[in-house]
Amino acid sequence: MSKNMNNNSPEGLDHQTTIHRTRWNNDNFLKLTKNLEEIGKNFYIRGWVLGTSGNFSAVISLEPLRLAITSTGSDKGKLTLAQFLEIDGAGNVVGGGAGQPSAEALLHLAVVRCMNAVAVLHTHSVWSTVLSGMYASRGGVVLEGYEMLKGLEGVKTHQHAEYLPILENSHDMIELAQRVSATLREHDGIRGFLLRGHGFYTWGASLEEAKRNVEILEFLMEVLVRTVQAGSAVSL
């Protein structure tokens, strides 16, 4: 959850612009936003995007690159069409509602480009936040040995090890997007990453896959935190 993109950014992030916003005349935009509305309600009920936390995006087109993305400050449990924006590959708003995207739109664009993702979902659960602090000194956390892992695309065994890098959070979204891109290139094949003290990002080759990744990986992060807590309680 971050403030709006600042007006001094060098990469087309100045939203004080006279670009005319198109008004929801793209069938793909309408379909994607409707699905994202439902995801928002589901995630809010589960406690993964409380307050105005989190942000969601989905690719409208690749050439030119266009994303449907939630506007900053929106309640993800009560999303409406007016709270979705269309942004271009530089993060500029070119259509949709009257709001502005979070500065974290740059992270969504980085994921889409590096991972060929079609959808990017960002949550702020208790479990991902706690875990990001617990394992920050290790630079990441491995989830392995759980049957639930078999719900991830291409995973056939509970012995699979799913690695989630942990990056230091930053208010400088241009710098953070560069670090995210470098991490994604270094760890090819990962399905998500954590920002320390902030939250969780995942993605998919479809919106359904991205949603499934959130459900599975949030479940496993909760299991890990509860397991560590239980072990600490026993040792006392």
Side-chain angles (χ1 to χ4, degrees):
M1 191 163 50
S2 302
K3 297 179 181 179
N4 291 350
M5 301 174 187
N6 65 66
N7 294 331
N8 298 316
S9 301
E11 299 184 18
L13 300 179
D14 183 355
H15 295 293
Q16 304 298 320
T17 177
T18 58
I19 293 176
H20 174 70
R21 297 190 182 186
T22 56
R23 301 302 297 180
W24 306 304
N25 58 357
N26 184 302
D27 288 342
N28 197 27
F29 180 86
L30 294 173
K31 179 181 178 181
L32 290 170
T33 55
K34 189 64 177 177
N35 290 337
L36 289 170
E37 285 177 27
E38 292 303 313
I39 287 174
K41 291 175 186 177
N42 181 287
F43 286 8
Y44 180 83
I45 290 170
R46 297 183 183 207
W48 296 339
V49 286
L50 296 179
T52 61
S53 66
N55 34 69
F56 312 144
S57 71
V59 173
I60 301 170
S61 66
L62 291 173
E63 294 293 341
L65 181 58
R66 295 287 187 269
L67 268 61
I69 193 166
T70 47
S71 59
T72 189
S74 57
D75 183 337
K76 305 310 178 298
K78 299 178 180 179
L79 289 171
T80 66
L81 181 59
Q83 292 169 309
F84 287 94
L85 309 169
E86 180 179 344
I87 62 171
D88 64 16
N92 293 313
V93 180
V94 296
Q100 300 294 345
S102 164
E104 292 175 42
L106 291 180
L107 306 189
H108 287 248
L109 289 165
V111 171
V112 167
R113 288 189 171 109
C114 292
M115 308 306 288
N116 296 317
V118 168
V120 182
L121 303 176
H122 171 43
T123 56
H124 281 225
S125 73
V126 170
W127 313 108
S128 65
T129 304
V130 171
L131 200 66
S132 71
M134 288 172 58
Y135 288 86
S137 62
R138 305 183 188 184
V141 59
V142 177
L143 304 170
E144 60 182 328
Y146 296 103
E147 187 72 11
M148 228 14 203
L149 288 162
K150 290 163 66 175
L152 299 172
E153 183 68 27
V155 175
K156 304 299 183 184
T157 173
H158 68 281
Q159 295 176 325
H160 170 78
E162 186 69 23
Y163 180 65
L164 298 177
I166 300 173
L167 290 78
E168 288 295 327
N169 194 24
S170 174
H171 289 295
D172 184 342
M173 286 297 137
I174 294 177
E175 184 273 335
L176 182 55
Q178 292 170 343
R179 280 195 285 120
V180 166
S181 295
T183 298
L184 296 178
R185 288 192 293 266
E186 179 182 356
H187 300 285
D188 184 42
I190 62 172
R191 293 176 176 83
F193 62 86
L194 294 162
L195 296 178
R196 184 178 185 181
H198 182 154
F200 172 57
Y201 271 86
T202 189
W203 51 86
S206 67
L207 186 52
E208 182 59 33
E209 182 182 345
K211 173 178 175 287
R212 187 167 63 249
N213 285 349
V214 172
E215 292 171 343
I216 292 169
L217 295 173
E218 283 284 5
F219 171 89
L220 292 173
M221 287 188 284
E222 180 176 350
V223 168
L224 185 54
V225 172
R226 288 183 180 274
T227 300
V228 172
Q229 289 175 334
S232 298
V234 170
S235 67
L236 294 175

